[in-house]
Amino acid sequence: MISYILRRILLMIPTLFGIMVLNFAIVQAAPGGPIERIVAKLQGNSVEATARFSGGGSDASAPGQALHENGGSGATSPSSRYAGAQGIDPELIKELEVQFGFDKPIHVRFFKMIGDYLRFDFGKSYFRDESVMSLVVSKMPVSISIGLWTTLIVYLVSIPLGIRKAVKDGSSFDIWSSAAIIAGYAIPSFLFAVLLIVLFAGGRYFEWFPLRGLFSDNWSDLPWPERIADYFWHIALPITAMVIGGFASLTMLTKNSFLDEINKQYVLTARAKGLTENRVLYGHVFRNAMLIVIAGLPTAFISVLFTGSLLIEVIFSLDGMGLLGFEAAINRDYPVMFGTLYFFTFLGLILNLIGDLLYVAVDPRIDFEARNS
């Protein structure tokens, strides 16, 4: 098993490199880069926006000053590469290219980025006066909280419910629970989040839960039992909104997997030997039926961590990784985009390895080394 783990870790290197190459090429080919966004701001004569987007330092005022002095008239377009650059001082465009590193060829920029990543240097945001690493670290607690608790609760609810539905297949319990699951699946999580706010967060009826953040303002002054209670008080509604529509597919997957195993010959043989139903289900069926369920754990966690929590973060004013990545894509903030992509890709590869190790934990008969040999 140790050699298998080492091979998987070594395989992560070319996999991660290939993903970064592909996404770097796609992003560079896509129209509307950071310079185009700043040009659009300049065409709106927003000198303050120019200084902010250029980093906010002493050198950042120069592009705005150049625009102010030229008045946007008489200047020729510096390059056809930038849409809408007509009327902008060519020197300003050159300054922006140097500032963002676009004066270098694309392959030089890529390998410089990879070299910096190997030193855990993820650069600095184009549009925020902060490093990518500090941004990711500051947003991490929100996303980890949402991702871990949502995934944990979904699995703790879905697996027992799916097993129960498989055992009671066709019964009244199976029918009404399926109706409840379909109803929960049909309601988008963000719509349910709005309903929770209206009902319980001061929207109209009750004001039992806070509307924003992970902690209260005086959280650091509270004793640790109250800190824990305050934390769960703040995440109660966001997690509820995420969970309500997340357990439907996993419950049905668990049920169908158990039904498929229950009808196999080895289950009939175990029952014929006089084993109890619980011994049959949890001693024989469980480890076989759970393999397909465990296979989806890494994907489920990554989905909740990044894409699934985006609207929830917006609705409940939770400044997490999902919102950070979305804003970076909208603003063409390339260092933040590729930094978050690198993090999520690396985390996904690690979780896939953990998923394989969980295979072995559930069913020790699985031997990856023997299969690869």
Side-chain angles (χ1 to χ4, degrees), residues 146 148-155 157-158 184-185 189 192 196 236-248 304 312:
I146 295 177
L148 281 180
W149 287 114
T150 300
T151 306
L152 178 63
I153 293 174
V154 165
Y155 269 75
V157 171
S158 299
Y185 187 73
S189 59
F192 191 73
L196 291 176
L237 293 187
I239 297 302
T240 302
M242 291 290 295
V243 167
I244 196 66
F247 66 89
V304 171
I312 299 300

mmCIF file of all heavy atoms in Angstrom, residues 146 148-155 157-158 184-185 189 192 196 236-248 304 312:
data_model
loop_
_atom_site.group_PDB
_atom_site.id
_atom_site.type_symbol
_atom_site.label_atom_id
_atom_site.label_comp_id
_atom_site.label_asym_id
_atom_site.label_seq_id
_atom_site.Cartn_x
_atom_site.Cartn_y
_atom_site.Cartn_z
ATOM 1 N N ILE A 146 -18.419 25.298 5.748
ATOM 2 C CA ILE A 146 -19.589 24.926 4.947
ATOM 3 C C ILE A 146 -19.399 23.549 4.312
ATOM 4 O O ILE A 146 -20.293 22.696 4.359
ATOM 5 C CB ILE A 146 -19.851 25.988 3.869
ATOM 6 C CG1 ILE A 146 -20.236 27.317 4.517
ATOM 7 C CG2 ILE A 146 -20.947 25.526 2.917
ATOM 8 C CD1 ILE A 146 -20.435 28.445 3.532
ATOM 9 N N LEU A 148 -17.270 20.945 5.074
ATOM 10 C CA LEU A 148 -17.170 19.801 5.981
ATOM 11 C C LEU A 148 -18.503 19.468 6.627
ATOM 12 O O LEU A 148 -18.937 18.304 6.627
ATOM 13 C CB LEU A 148 -16.115 20.084 7.061
ATOM 14 C CG LEU A 148 -14.659 19.903 6.656
ATOM 15 C CD1 LEU A 148 -13.742 20.226 7.823
ATOM 16 C CD2 LEU A 148 -14.397 18.476 6.187
ATOM 17 N N TRP A 149 -19.163 20.469 7.192
ATOM 18 C CA TRP A 149 -20.413 20.203 7.898
ATOM 19 C C TRP A 149 -21.509 19.759 6.953
ATOM 20 O O TRP A 149 -22.295 18.848 7.280
ATOM 21 C CB TRP A 149 -20.849 21.436 8.698
ATOM 22 C CG TRP A 149 -20.026 21.678 9.913
ATOM 23 C CD1 TRP A 149 -19.197 22.728 10.146
ATOM 24 C CD2 TRP A 149 -19.934 20.836 11.065
ATOM 25 N NE1 TRP A 149 -18.589 22.606 11.366
ATOM 26 C CE2 TRP A 149 -19.028 21.462 11.962
ATOM 27 C CE3 TRP A 149 -20.519 19.629 11.433
ATOM 28 C CZ2 TRP A 149 -18.703 20.899 13.195
ATOM 29 C CZ3 TRP A 149 -20.194 19.067 12.667
ATOM 30 C CH2 TRP A 149 -19.300 19.697 13.530
ATOM 31 N N THR A 150 -21.577 20.364 5.777
ATOM 32 C CA THR A 150 -22.602 19.950 4.811
ATOM 33 C C THR A 150 -22.379 18.507 4.367
ATOM 34 O O THR A 150 -23.313 17.691 4.359
ATOM 35 C CB THR A 150 -22.603 20.878 3.593
ATOM 36 O OG1 THR A 150 -22.872 22.214 4.007
ATOM 37 C CG2 THR A 150 -23.652 20.443 2.584
ATOM 38 N N THR A 151 -21.143 18.187 4.003
ATOM 39 C CA THR A 151 -20.843 16.815 3.552
ATOM 40 C C THR A 151 -21.081 15.812 4.666
ATOM 41 O O THR A 151 -21.660 14.731 4.439
ATOM 42 C CB THR A 151 -19.389 16.725 3.068
ATOM 43 O OG1 THR A 151 -19.149 17.725 2.067
ATOM 44 C CG2 THR A 151 -19.094 15.355 2.494
ATOM 45 N N LEU A 152 -20.645 16.143 5.879
ATOM 46 C CA LEU A 152 -20.819 15.223 7.008
ATOM 47 C C LEU A 152 -22.292 14.962 7.292
ATOM 48 O O LEU A 152 -22.721 13.802 7.432
ATOM 49 C CB LEU A 152 -20.133 15.805 8.252
ATOM 50 C CG LEU A 152 -20.254 14.979 9.539
ATOM 51 C CD1 LEU A 152 -19.583 13.623 9.364
ATOM 52 C CD2 LEU A 152 -19.655 15.739 10.718
ATOM 53 N N ILE A 153 -23.080 16.013 7.355
ATOM 54 C CA ILE A 153 -24.509 15.847 7.672
ATOM 55 C C ILE A 153 -25.223 15.108 6.545
ATOM 56 O O ILE A 153 -26.068 14.238 6.799
ATOM 57 C CB ILE A 153 -25.156 17.225 7.935
ATOM 58 C CG1 ILE A 153 -24.574 17.840 9.209
ATOM 59 C CG2 ILE A 153 -26.674 17.087 8.077
ATOM 60 C CD1 ILE A 153 -25.031 19.252 9.478
ATOM 61 N N VAL A 154 -24.888 15.452 5.296
ATOM 62 C CA VAL A 154 -25.527 14.772 4.163
ATOM 63 C C VAL A 154 -25.260 13.274 4.204
ATOM 64 O O VAL A 154 -26.165 12.456 4.022
ATOM 65 C CB VAL A 154 -25.040 15.386 2.835
ATOM 66 C CG1 VAL A 154 -25.401 14.477 1.668
ATOM 67 C CG2 VAL A 154 -25.650 16.761 2.622
ATOM 68 N N TYR A 155 -24.024 12.888 4.483
ATOM 69 C CA TYR A 155 -23.695 11.461 4.534
ATOM 70 C C TYR A 155 -24.322 10.782 5.751
ATOM 71 O O TYR A 155 -24.779 9.630 5.661
ATOM 72 C CB TYR A 155 -22.179 11.270 4.532
ATOM 73 C CG TYR A 155 -21.608 11.129 3.146
ATOM 74 C CD1 TYR A 155 -21.482 12.232 2.303
ATOM 75 C CD2 TYR A 155 -21.205 9.892 2.657
ATOM 76 C CE1 TYR A 155 -20.972 12.103 1.021
ATOM 77 C CE2 TYR A 155 -20.693 9.752 1.381
ATOM 78 C CZ TYR A 155 -20.581 10.865 0.566
ATOM 79 O OH TYR A 155 -20.087 10.733 -0.703
ATOM 80 N N VAL A 157 -27.084 11.529 7.152
ATOM 81 C CA VAL A 157 -28.525 11.397 6.921
ATOM 82 C C VAL A 157 -28.810 10.428 5.771
ATOM 83 O O VAL A 157 -29.688 9.553 5.883
ATOM 84 C CB VAL A 157 -29.153 12.776 6.623
ATOM 85 C CG1 VAL A 157 -30.601 12.619 6.178
ATOM 86 C CG2 VAL A 157 -29.084 13.668 7.852
ATOM 87 N N SER A 158 -28.060 10.546 4.694
ATOM 88 C CA SER A 158 -28.387 9.816 3.464
ATOM 89 C C SER A 158 -28.129 8.322 3.584
ATOM 90 O O SER A 158 -28.925 7.507 3.092
ATOM 91 C CB SER A 158 -27.582 10.373 2.290
ATOM 92 O OG SER A 158 -27.883 11.730 2.073
ATOM 93 N N GLY A 184 -37.466 18.057 -1.557
ATOM 94 C CA GLY A 184 -36.245 18.743 -1.143
ATOM 95 C C GLY A 184 -35.293 18.959 -2.296
ATOM 96 O O GLY A 184 -34.642 20.006 -2.393
ATOM 97 N N TYR A 185 -35.227 17.979 -3.193
ATOM 98 C CA TYR A 185 -34.337 18.089 -4.350
ATOM 99 C C TYR A 185 -34.833 19.137 -5.342
ATOM 100 O O TYR A 185 -34.032 19.785 -6.029
ATOM 101 C CB TYR A 185 -34.236 16.726 -5.032
ATOM 102 C CG TYR A 185 -33.223 16.677 -6.146
ATOM 103 C CD1 TYR A 185 -31.861 16.675 -5.867
ATOM 104 C CD2 TYR A 185 -33.630 16.621 -7.469
ATOM 105 C CE1 TYR A 185 -30.929 16.625 -6.886
ATOM 106 C CE2 TYR A 185 -32.697 16.569 -8.499
ATOM 107 C CZ TYR A 185 -31.344 16.572 -8.200
ATOM 108 O OH TYR A 185 -30.423 16.528 -9.197
ATOM 109 N N SER A 189 -31.190 25.293 -3.350
ATOM 110 C CA SER A 189 -30.660 25.635 -2.026
ATOM 111 C C SER A 189 -30.713 27.131 -1.772
ATOM 112 O O SER A 189 -30.990 27.566 -0.649
ATOM 113 C CB SER A 189 -29.226 25.121 -1.885
ATOM 114 O OG SER A 189 -28.396 25.684 -2.878
ATOM 115 N N PHE A 192 -34.276 28.082 -0.850
ATOM 116 C CA PHE A 192 -34.559 27.654 0.520
ATOM 117 C C PHE A 192 -33.835 28.552 1.517
ATOM 118 O O PHE A 192 -34.351 28.818 2.613
ATOM 119 C CB PHE A 192 -34.133 26.204 0.706
ATOM 120 C CG PHE A 192 -34.622 25.582 1.988
ATOM 121 C CD1 PHE A 192 -35.953 25.236 2.138
ATOM 122 C CD2 PHE A 192 -33.754 25.350 3.031
ATOM 123 C CE1 PHE A 192 -36.408 24.674 3.319
ATOM 124 C CE2 PHE A 192 -34.194 24.791 4.207
ATOM 125 C CZ PHE A 192 -35.533 24.447 4.350
ATOM 126 N N LEU A 196 -35.478 30.595 4.618
ATOM 127 C CA LEU A 196 -34.990 30.527 5.999
ATOM 128 C C LEU A 196 -34.734 31.923 6.565
ATOM 129 O O LEU A 196 -35.020 32.185 7.745
ATOM 130 C CB LEU A 196 -33.702 29.701 6.058
ATOM 131 C CG LEU A 196 -33.842 28.199 5.795
ATOM 132 C CD1 LEU A 196 -32.463 27.539 5.783
ATOM 133 C CD2 LEU A 196 -34.727 27.541 6.840
ATOM 134 N N ALA A 236 -25.922 27.646 11.309
ATOM 135 C CA ALA A 236 -27.110 26.780 11.312
ATOM 136 C C ALA A 236 -27.934 26.955 10.030
ATOM 137 O O ALA A 236 -28.271 25.976 9.356
ATOM 138 C CB ALA A 236 -27.965 27.076 12.545
ATOM 139 N N LEU A 237 -28.269 28.172 9.677
ATOM 140 C CA LEU A 237 -29.102 28.401 8.502
ATOM 141 C C LEU A 237 -28.367 28.104 7.189
ATOM 142 O O LEU A 237 -28.949 27.447 6.306
ATOM 143 C CB LEU A 237 -29.629 29.840 8.500
ATOM 144 C CG LEU A 237 -30.618 30.201 9.620
ATOM 145 C CD1 LEU A 237 -31.186 31.599 9.385
ATOM 146 C CD2 LEU A 237 -31.734 29.187 9.719
ATOM 147 N N PRO A 238 -27.113 28.552 6.988
ATOM 148 C CA PRO A 238 -26.430 28.196 5.744
ATOM 149 C C PRO A 238 -26.290 26.689 5.540
ATOM 150 O O PRO A 238 -26.510 26.186 4.429
ATOM 151 C CB PRO A 238 -25.056 28.867 5.883
ATOM 152 C CG PRO A 238 -25.264 29.982 6.843
ATOM 153 C CD PRO A 238 -26.318 29.506 7.791
ATOM 154 N N ILE A 239 -25.938 25.971 6.592
ATOM 155 C CA ILE A 239 -25.776 24.521 6.461
ATOM 156 C C ILE A 239 -27.114 23.855 6.186
ATOM 157 O O ILE A 239 -27.211 22.926 5.367
ATOM 158 C CB ILE A 239 -25.129 23.945 7.735
ATOM 159 C CG1 ILE A 239 -23.723 24.518 7.930
ATOM 160 C CG2 ILE A 239 -25.069 22.422 7.650
ATOM 161 C CD1 ILE A 239 -22.789 24.264 6.780
ATOM 162 N N THR A 240 -28.171 24.322 6.844
ATOM 163 C CA THR A 240 -29.503 23.765 6.584
ATOM 164 C C THR A 240 -29.900 23.954 5.129
ATOM 165 O O THR A 240 -30.443 23.049 4.490
ATOM 166 C CB THR A 240 -30.544 24.421 7.500
ATOM 167 O OG1 THR A 240 -30.170 24.216 8.869
ATOM 168 C CG2 THR A 240 -31.924 23.830 7.273
ATOM 169 N N ALA A 241 -29.633 25.138 4.596
ATOM 170 C CA ALA A 241 -29.969 25.409 3.192
ATOM 171 C C ALA A 241 -29.169 24.524 2.244
ATOM 172 O O ALA A 241 -29.687 24.076 1.217
ATOM 173 C CB ALA A 241 -29.715 26.882 2.873
ATOM 174 N N MET A 242 -27.908 24.239 2.579
ATOM 175 C CA MET A 242 -27.083 23.388 1.725
ATOM 176 C C MET A 242 -27.504 21.929 1.812
ATOM 177 O O MET A 242 -27.514 21.209 0.809
ATOM 178 C CB MET A 242 -25.607 23.529 2.133
ATOM 179 C CG MET A 242 -24.992 24.872 1.820
ATOM 180 S SD MET A 242 -24.758 25.152 0.052
ATOM 181 C CE MET A 242 -23.556 23.897 -0.312
ATOM 182 N N VAL A 243 -27.866 21.489 3.009
ATOM 183 C CA VAL A 243 -28.167 20.070 3.224
ATOM 184 C C VAL A 243 -29.495 19.677 2.604
ATOM 185 O O VAL A 243 -29.641 18.561 2.078
ATOM 186 C CB VAL A 243 -28.155 19.753 4.734
ATOM 187 C CG1 VAL A 243 -28.778 18.390 5.013
ATOM 188 C CG2 VAL A 243 -26.731 19.791 5.272
ATOM 189 N N ILE A 244 -30.475 20.577 2.625
ATOM 190 C CA ILE A 244 -31.850 20.204 2.267
ATOM 191 C C ILE A 244 -31.960 19.615 0.865
ATOM 192 O O ILE A 244 -32.776 18.726 0.614
ATOM 193 C CB ILE A 244 -32.798 21.432 2.407
ATOM 194 C CG1 ILE A 244 -34.258 20.972 2.428
ATOM 195 C CG2 ILE A 244 -32.529 22.435 1.306
ATOM 196 C CD1 ILE A 244 -34.640 20.164 3.626
ATOM 197 N N GLY A 245 -31.150 20.089 -0.056
ATOM 198 C CA GLY A 245 -31.213 19.550 -1.401
ATOM 199 C C GLY A 245 -30.042 18.661 -1.749
ATOM 200 O O GLY A 245 -29.964 18.148 -2.863
ATOM 201 N N GLY A 246 -29.145 18.432 -0.783
ATOM 202 C CA GLY A 246 -27.933 17.680 -1.076
ATOM 203 C C GLY A 246 -28.024 16.196 -0.808
ATOM 204 O O GLY A 246 -27.193 15.434 -1.312
ATOM 205 N N PHE A 247 -29.007 15.775 -0.018
ATOM 206 C CA PHE A 247 -29.033 14.367 0.364
ATOM 207 C C PHE A 247 -29.905 13.515 -0.553
ATOM 208 O O PHE A 247 -29.946 12.289 -0.409
ATOM 209 C CB PHE A 247 -29.510 14.208 1.812
ATOM 210 C CG PHE A 247 -30.929 14.606 2.054
ATOM 211 C CD1 PHE A 247 -31.960 13.688 1.914
ATOM 212 C CD2 PHE A 247 -31.245 15.896 2.455
ATOM 213 C CE1 PHE A 247 -33.269 14.053 2.144
ATOM 214 C CE2 PHE A 247 -32.558 16.259 2.686
ATOM 215 C CZ PHE A 247 -33.576 15.339 2.529
ATOM 216 N N ALA A 248 -30.624 14.133 -1.495
ATOM 217 C CA ALA A 248 -31.556 13.378 -2.327
ATOM 218 C C ALA A 248 -30.828 12.352 -3.203
ATOM 219 O O ALA A 248 -31.141 11.151 -3.175
ATOM 220 C CB ALA A 248 -32.365 14.331 -3.194
ATOM 221 N N VAL A 304 -19.289 21.008 -2.955
ATOM 222 C CA VAL A 304 -19.854 21.854 -1.904
ATOM 223 C C VAL A 304 -18.890 22.978 -1.563
ATOM 224 O O VAL A 304 -19.292 24.132 -1.364
ATOM 225 C CB VAL A 304 -20.174 21.011 -0.650
ATOM 226 C CG1 VAL A 304 -20.554 21.912 0.522
ATOM 227 C CG2 VAL A 304 -21.305 20.046 -0.955
ATOM 228 N N ILE A 312 -24.907 30.525 -1.520
ATOM 229 C CA ILE A 312 -25.123 30.559 -0.071
ATOM 230 C C ILE A 312 -24.194 31.580 0.578
ATOM 231 O O ILE A 312 -24.596 32.322 1.481
ATOM 232 C CB ILE A 312 -24.900 29.159 0.533
ATOM 233 C CG1 ILE A 312 -25.895 28.168 -0.057
ATOM 234 C CG2 ILE A 312 -25.050 29.201 2.056
ATOM 235 C CD1 ILE A 312 -27.342 28.495 0.183
#
